[in-house]
Amino acid sequence: MEFRTLGSLTVRVDGRDITPTAPKQRQALALLILRAGQRVTMATLLGELWDGFPPRTAMTALQTYIGVVRRTMAEATGGTVKQVSQERLVTDGNSYVLRVADHEWDRPAFDHLVVLGREAIARDDASTAERLLREALGQWQGQPLNNVRIGPILAPHIRRLREIHLGARELLIETLLRTCKAQEAVEEATELTSEYPCHENIHAQLMRALYASGRRASALDVYQRLRTHLDTRGISPSPSVNTLHHAMLQDEPDEEFLALFGATR
């Protein structure tokens, strides 16, 4: 069985898509997957599906949703509902536990590749780091659970997934800068700055990439855009970003300082 959450929620068995089509079934299954191997109480599921205000019929409805998911899994795998309820989607007191092996789920695969990428960076193997990080990011097929209604319990999970995705993209840009692939770094960072207009590190990465590409004026424009966005929040760029900006303003910049940041031309 294959579970995908880094994009649309998808469940497949031997290539056959068995993802629930009913919105609340899909929502319940999404939460169970994101908490795979953990007990998810019925109260938690009810809170997610009905935004903390379940009707009197909610418990019966939830049990029906779980029953449908179990039956679908059983039919797809050639097993029985009893087997699924004992081995895959288990009732544990007032909770459910979905058992998912790491190789069945895209999230552990992504996490493992990022760890390997970081290890490659630590040993100065930039080419391996780039390959691993690109493979990790290739696990993503859009915004996480983009076909699932997100309630109050799923919401922090989604924020966490977006943060780890952003972190991996920043790490890839850093790797590209360190290996003098400035134009590729520009392409990666440009998209991110539009998504995160107040994110200082991403803007600094784009500044460095542009400067390393011989586009000092464009790098300085990025700083001004960041400063404008931050002004609307009543804050100024950090000292590190200001120092980078100051170095780039100079006709004879401190090349040693810029080299430390992969921004040498």
Side-chain angles (χ1 to χ4, degrees), residues 173-174 177 181-194 197-228 230 237-250 257-259 261-265:
I173 295 169
E174 199 65 36
L177 284 165
K181 295 182 178 179
Q183 185 52 45
E184 292 181 47
V186 168
E187 294 167 5
E188 295 285 344
T190 297
E191 181 180 353
L192 281 180
T193 55
S194 64
C198 293
H199 196 300
E200 292 190 67
N201 184 56
I202 296 168
H203 283 74
Q205 287 183 319
L206 181 55
M207 289 170 63
R208 291 155 54 197
L210 287 166
Y211 189 89
S213 301
R215 300 163 63 185
R216 183 172 70 156
S218 295
L220 297 175
D221 284 344
V222 170
Y223 173 83
Q224 293 301 330
R225 288 201 302 272
L226 172 64
R227 185 171 181 174
T228 298
L230 293 178
S238 66
S240 61
V241 175
N242 281 329
T243 300
L244 180 63
H245 175 244
H246 178 75
M248 291 180 176
L249 279 172
Q250 308 309 307
F257 169 79
L258 293 170
F261 293 95
T264 50
R265 290 178 288 183

Side-chain angles (χ1 to χ4, degrees), residues 10-228:
T10 308
V11 184
R12 293 192 182 94
V13 175
D14 296 329
R16 176 189 169 196
D17 190 340
I18 62 165
T19 310
T21 55
K24 280 187 165 37
Q25 290 176 25
R26 184 177 295 181
Q27 192 175 1
L29 182 57
L31 183 54
L32 289 166
I33 295 172
L34 291 185
R35 292 192 178 180
Q38 304 174 36
R39 297 174 71 249
V40 182
T41 66
M42 295 179 184
T44 297
L45 285 161
L46 293 173
E48 167 63 24
L49 269 58
W50 282 279
D51 295 329
F53 299 96
R56 286 181 297 175
T57 58
M59 181 64 74
T60 300
L62 174 62
Q63 292 170 339
T64 299
Y65 301 153
I66 297 298
V68 171
V69 171
R70 283 172 168 161
R71 186 163 59 252
T72 301
M73 290 181 172
E75 292 172 353
T77 58
T80 65
V81 172
K82 182 177 180 180
Q83 288 174 319
V84 172
S85 64
Q86 291 176 339
E87 301 169 8
R88 177 66 77 174
L89 181 45
V90 180
T91 301
D92 183 358
N94 67 341
S95 305
Y96 294 108
V97 179
L98 180 66
R99 295 173 179 167
V100 179
D102 283 356
H103 70 272
E104 296 178 309
W105 183 16
D106 56 359
R107 169 69 191 277
F110 167 79
D111 289 342
H112 180 62
L113 287 165
V114 171
V115 168
L116 293 178
R118 291 185 184 278
E119 291 174 352
I121 291 171
R123 61 175 185 269
D124 294 324
D125 187 353
S127 61
T128 297
E130 180 186 348
R131 175 180 58 80
L132 289 167
L133 290 168
R134 288 195 183 280
E135 187 177 348
L137 291 167
Q139 297 287 327
W140 288 74
Q141 303 297 318
Q143 291 298 316
L145 300 180
N146 56 42
N147 60 342
V148 175
R149 178 188 174 277
I150 305 302
I153 312 300
L154 275 176
H157 287 278
I158 299 301
R159 288 194 294 270
R160 171 62 179 157
L161 286 172
R162 289 174 176 162
E163 283 295 325
I164 65 170
H165 186 217
L166 174 60
R169 294 178 73 182
E170 288 182 82
L171 197 59
L172 174 61
I173 295 169
E174 199 65 36
T175 302
L176 293 170
L177 284 165
R178 299 292 176 168
T179 53
C180 300
K181 295 182 178 179
Q183 185 52 45
E184 292 181 47
V186 168
E187 294 167 5
E188 295 285 344
T190 297
E191 181 180 353
L192 281 180
T193 55
S194 64
E195 294 179 36
Y196 300 92
C198 293
H199 196 300
E200 292 190 67
N201 184 56
I202 296 168
H203 283 74
Q205 287 183 319
L206 181 55
M207 289 170 63
R208 291 155 54 197
L210 287 166
Y211 189 89
S213 301
R215 300 163 63 185
R216 183 172 70 156
S218 295
L220 297 175
D221 284 344
V222 170
Y223 173 83
Q224 293 301 330
R225 288 201 302 272
L226 172 64
R227 185 171 181 174
T228 298

